[in-house]
């Protein structure tokens, strides 16, 4: 999954258990052009978990996998509003 992460739609990623998804997101060989892509996916996954009544700890684990220091300036501003 990490090698082709950018090819997976969010709907597919939602099927992966959160603990495994977090491990994938933390991999150095994650196939994304920029960390902004990870941020966008995590927002979508977190919203889905919230809609489904998911565990707040799962959402927190997803956010902890984002490398905030690698985000572009515009995404840092977005992150501040989440």
């Amino acid at each position: 999954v990490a090698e082709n992460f950018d090819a997976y739609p969010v709907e597919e990623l939602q099927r992966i258990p959160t603990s495994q998804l977090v491990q994938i997101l933390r991999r150095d060989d994650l196939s994304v052009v920029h960390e902004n892509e990870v941020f966008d996916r995590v927002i979508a996954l977190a919203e889905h978990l919230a809609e489904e009544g998911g565990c707040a700890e799962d959402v927190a684990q997803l956010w902890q996998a984002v490398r905030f220091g690698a985000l572009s300036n515009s995404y840092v501003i977005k992150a501040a509003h989440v």
Side-chain angles (χ1 to χ4, degrees), residues 1-76:
V1 174
E3 295 83 12
N4 298 308
F5 183 78
D6 53 355
Y8 282 88
V10 172
E11 295 77 23
E12 291 287 324
L13 297 174
Q14 291 168 349
R15 297 185 184 140
I16 301 172
T18 303
S19 60
Q20 289 179 356
L21 190 53
V22 168
Q23 288 178 348
I24 292 166
L25 292 172
R26 289 184 175 160
R27 288 181 54 163
D28 290 333
D29 64 342
L30 189 64
S31 174
V32 293
V33 174
H34 199 278
E35 191 68 14
N36 294 354
E37 293 179 50
V38 175
F39 182 88
D40 287 337
R41 296 291 178 92
V42 168
I43 277 188
L45 291 164
E47 288 173 353
H48 173 75
L49 279 171
E51 290 170 4
E52 299 292 317
C55 174
E57 184 168 323
D58 286 348
V59 173
Q61 286 180 18
L62 286 172
W63 282 117
Q64 289 172 5
V66 176
R67 295 174 175 130
F68 289 97
L71 293 174
S72 68
N73 290 338
S74 63
Y75 272 74
V76 169

